[in-house]
Amino acid sequence: MPDQVYRAIIPIRPAPPPASRSPARKRGLHVRLVVRVSGGLSAAVRQAAHGEGLTAGAWVRRQLLDRLGMQSDADARSGRPVRMPEAHQAAIAAALRNLAAASASAQSDDPASAIPAIQAARAILVPLALGRPAP
């Protein structure tokens, strides 16, 4: 067997870790602000936020932005969605029934009877879209 020349194995250096992103490039919110409040204030914030379809954190952030006269899409954005109240769901269902009746009337021989059904649906949907209580 011929003599083989063995070469020393040179270890390969691992790649350096990727540079961490600066806070300005991070997605979402990167600073946490913890504030202690009473149970009553917490309940009031939760109720007001729920009424506007927001999380409590998003509602508080919007209040702070308004108070400070600032604008920030990232801060105004809400987190996980808040469940729609059952009263709103019922009102939307009634509006959809009115629209179905209006559609049937418009396709029949009496399209003029569709107007009251459309107006009834509008009376329900517009307040809900504006964040007001359902009629």
Side-chain angles (χ1 to χ4, degrees):
M1 234 168 142
D3 292 332
Q4 292 183 345
V5 179
Y6 291 99
R7 296 184 189 194
I9 298 175
I10 301 172
I12 298 174
R13 291 185 201 155
S20 63
R21 292 183 176 178
S22 64
R25 295 181 65 197
K26 276 188 177 180
R27 293 184 64 186
L29 304 174
H30 58 276
V31 175
R32 183 175 183 173
L33 176 65
V34 178
V35 179
R36 293 189 179 274
V37 296
S38 67
L41 180 57
S42 175
V45 166
R46 198 170 37 251
Q47 182 179 5
H50 188 75
E52 293 183 28
L54 299 170
T55 61
W59 187 85
V60 168
R61 286 192 304 273
R62 288 183 183 187
Q63 297 300 313
L64 290 170
L65 288 169
D66 288 346
R67 177 69 182 211
L68 297 172
M70 294 177 60
Q71 292 183 350
S72 168
D73 290 338
D75 287 307
R77 195 172 26 245
S78 182
R80 60 190 187 284
V82 175
R83 184 179 148 93
M84 184 182 299
E86 290 181 19
H88 287 204
Q89 291 176 359
I92 290 171
L96 290 174
R97 284 191 296 274
N98 287 336
L99 289 175
S103 177
S105 297
Q107 293 174 0
S108 70
D109 294 335
D110 188 20
S113 66
I115 293 174
I118 292 172
Q119 289 174 340
R122 184 178 183 277
I124 294 170
L125 293 175
V126 169
L128 291 175
L130 296 176
R132 297 187 181 133

